[in-house]
Amino acid sequence: MTENVARRGFLVGGAVLLAAGCTSNEPAAAPASAAAPAPAASGNDQPGTKVVIGFSAPAADHGWIAAIAKNAEATAKQYADVEFKPVEPTNDINQQISAVESLIAAKVAALVILPNDGQQLNQVALQATAAGIPVINLDRIFPDKLAYRTWIGGDNYGMGVAAGHYIGAKLKEKGVSNPVIVEIQGIATLPLTQDRSKGFADALKTYGFSVTAKQDAKFTVETGNQVAAGLLQAHKKIDALWNHDDDQGVGVLAAIKEANRSEFVMVGGAGSLNAMKEIQSGGSVLEATVTYSPTMASSAIKLARLIAQGKGMSDLVENQVPQSITLASETITKENVEKYLPLGFES
């Protein structure tokens, strides 16, 4: 579950590649003396050199993580030139290190790693790179840029911004002043959670609003239920609630229904299928969710294949895959939910 929506986006296999530059939709006129750019590469999905892609991720004890593994495997199977070599998923740091070391020893062509902890797996990622194996760092980032060839992940700050703008606009539309805004985080000590909270606070500030109360719920259904029940009891009237994670949101929604509360607008986080169906129903406090899509694992496999085969992205002028790709956080509402349903994951 891990940073800044920016300027201009290129859609690449479900990912938005952020690039600095002009924001006009019209290309700038080239000087008369400038050489015409080479035609874009094409046919990247055509079979190429056979490559073995190693894959390591935490245990699937959370709907989002389970979807990460499923998406990676499903995408690898789409290519006749890819052999997918996953190792046993684990939440034990030492076991994940050993598993990655086994992939290094197997001399895979590329490694896709979602580390349990980027700091603690940094050294083994450096080992892979030193062995000539490009590492595609998925989501939780390694602190040393020498440890990975390309990072791809979600925009945690952007999630908060998207949630804050949705809630801020809704409250302004209703003419609410001094609103009671509640925030239910994942794990408060994680940098990704802190980024989400900062984005939320920054966006709310543009409307003159701030968070009234926040508490973390550990990314679990049970804790989500307990925390929501406590906040509902402490605040007899709430105007808006942002829950960072749709998996823990199952417990949050259960507490809301148990308390028979419906006076506020709720926004979720990540884009689970459960949340989308709740939004689609139109009869829930949950009106929107902001994405942090596990489809990033599919894109990571595509990137690993391109890098291992010495290819670049066909929609870009550059010859090589970029070093960093940040997915945009999109807002799913009743108006656009049908478009996102196929991307949802089961909580």
Side-chain angles (χ1 to χ4, degrees):
M1 292 148 277
T2 348
E3 291 166 43
N4 279 341
V5 177
R7 297 112 355 212
R8 180 181 178 190
F10 295 99
L11 185 62
V12 183
V16 171
L17 170 62
L18 301 179
C22 65
T23 56
S24 170
N25 288 329
E26 295 299 323
S33 60
S42 62
N44 271 349
D45 282 338
Q46 295 302 313
T49 307
K50 184 72 178 279
V51 294
V52 180
I53 298 176
F55 178 79
S56 176
D61 55 2
H62 182 277
W64 188 88
I65 292 286
I68 283 283
K70 287 176 184 174
N71 288 343
E73 182 175 12
T75 300
K77 284 180 177 177
Q78 294 173 7
Y79 296 100
D81 55 9
V82 169
E83 180 185 335
F84 187 59
K85 195 175 180 66
V87 291
E88 189 69 27
T90 178
N91 290 332
D92 183 283
I93 296 293
N94 292 325
Q95 286 181 16
Q96 189 174 23
I97 290 170
S98 295
V100 172
E101 286 175 338
S102 74
L103 291 170
I104 296 170
K107 295 182 170 59
V108 296
L111 258 172
V112 175
I113 307 175
L114 196 168
N116 275 285
D117 183 293
Q119 182 75 48
Q120 295 187 66
L121 269 88
N122 189 69
Q123 194 58 41
V124 76
L126 283 169
Q127 287 175 33
T129 301
I133 300 171
V135 173
I136 291 75
N137 182 191
L138 180 56
D139 191 39
R140 299 170 189 169
I141 196 165
F142 296 121
D144 192 335
K145 286 193 174 183
L146 294 176
Y148 58 91
R149 164 59 180 79
T150 291
W151 174 84
I152 179 169
D155 185 357
N156 287 290
Y157 180 84
M159 283 182 76
V161 170
H165 279 310
Y166 185 88
I167 284 172
K170 279 286 180 180
L171 296 179
K172 280 291 186 185
E173 186 182 299
K174 293 178 179 179
V176 179
S177 59
N178 300 315
V180 175
I181 301 174
V182 173
E183 179 181 358
I184 301 180
Q185 303 168 305
I187 298 173
T189 56
L190 292 179
L192 68 91
T193 298
Q194 293 159 12
D195 285 345
R196 292 179 186 186
S197 288
K198 185 173 189 327
F200 189 52
D202 287 352
L204 287 176
K205 197 182 299 179
T206 67
Y207 299 88
F209 301 148
S210 61
V211 174
T212 307
K214 65 183 171 185
Q215 191 172 341
D216 69 339
K218 315 299 182 191
F219 290 122
T220 72
V221 173
E222 295 76 17
T223 313
N225 185 267
Q226 293 163 12
V227 167
L231 288 168
L232 289 166
Q233 194 166 27
H235 301 277
K236 298 307 177 187
K237 182 179 181 300
I238 293 173
D239 293 292
L241 183 155
W242 181 39
N243 166 59
H244 285 207
D245 179 71
D246 286 336
D247 279 320
Q248 73 184 19
V250 173
V252 172
L253 280 168
I256 292 168
K257 289 169 184 174
E258 177 68 24
N260 196 27
R261 298 280 291 272
S262 61
E263 78 279 8
F264 54 87
V265 56
M266 175 178 168
V267 175
S272 77
L273 191 59
N274 311 57
M276 290 189 207
K277 287 180 177 176
E278 189 84 10
I279 292 164
Q280 192 177 39
S281 74
S284 173
V285 294
L286 183 62
E287 290 188 11
T289 186
V290 292
T291 62
Y292 195 88
S293 180
T295 56
M296 66 178 71
S298 297
S299 295
I301 294 295
K302 286 176 174 278
L303 293 170
R305 174 178 172 270
L306 292 178
I307 291 167
Q309 292 179 342
K311 297 176 181 176
M313 290 178 168
S314 61
D315 287 336
L316 299 184
V317 174
E318 290 74 24
N319 292 322
Q320 295 190 8
V321 168
Q323 191 267 347
S324 180
I325 297 173
T326 304
L327 305 180
S329 186
E330 303 170 60
T331 304
I332 302 173
T333 65
K334 191 176 180 182
E335 287 68 39
N336 64 9
V337 66
E338 286 197 14
K339 181 174 73 171
Y340 290 92
L341 282 169
L343 305 179
F345 60 93
E346 290 284 356
S347 292

